[in-house]
Amino acid sequence: SYELTQPPSVSVSPGQTASITCSGDKLDDKYAYWYQQKSGQSPVLVIYQDTKRPSGIPERFSGSNSGNTATLTISGTQAMDEADYYCQAWDSSTAVFGGGTKLTVL
Amino acid sequence: QVQLQESGPGLVKPSETLSLTCTISGDSINSNNYYWGWLRQPPGKGLEWIGAIYYTGRTHYNPSLNSRVTISRDTSKNQFSLKLTSVSDSETAVYYCARLGYGGNLNWFAPWGQGTLVTVSS
């Protein structure tokens, strides 16, 4: 079965750029999606189809997908961005999620 | 504004059937632009997709759960439901329903319901 791998944790200082990676075999043959989940809340879509931002998502969130790795980038990270982030892709009509990355804003 | 709300028992005994319903407001389950899906998250762990249903009744299920899962819809009530048979303690989780974008291909999950905690315990 298809697997997506994320680092368990990433730390960033306020105002700096955070990058969260998601690795999977030939991932760029698929679309990558990213969800933000703050403590005690439901997940929220922040990036879809590799690079697109839903309405209401700040411009500091961006995404890319090349080769085996998709990346979520948060520019000018703010304290409110501290959350768990999950990548997701489709493999033969099956949704696959990465294990999640806890972003800490120090 | 689309909203989804999960409902159902918060406690299920091992080996029994878990049943949940998701009520949709602000959109129609009969839209051809969306599937409607179920996902879950064990306490302190990551997300797992369970399955999804289209307005035609077509379903897709996670292969790891396929033999135990049934997702159905009630168009008159604008609801869809999940049944998971023979549950075990390890299936204690927050269960979410979510709208799933569809444009010929399956896309994003948005929005999500608030989630409902189902505990599997005797």
Side-chain angles (χ1 to χ4, degrees), chain A residues 79-98:
Chain A
M80 68 173 64
D81 300 329
E82 188 163 283
D84 294 325
Y85 289 86
Y86 294 90
C87 62
Q88 179 248 314
W90 289 95
D91 180 61
S92 299
S93 298
T94 297
V96 178
F97 285 88

Side-chain angles (χ1 to χ4, degrees), chain A residues 9 14 16 27 33 41 43 55 57 60 63-65 87 98 104:
Chain A
S9 62
Q16 299 302 304
L27 182 53
Y33 303 85
Q41 298 183 19
S55 61
I57 300 302
R60 63 179 180 273
S64 63
N65 188 5
C87 62
T104 301

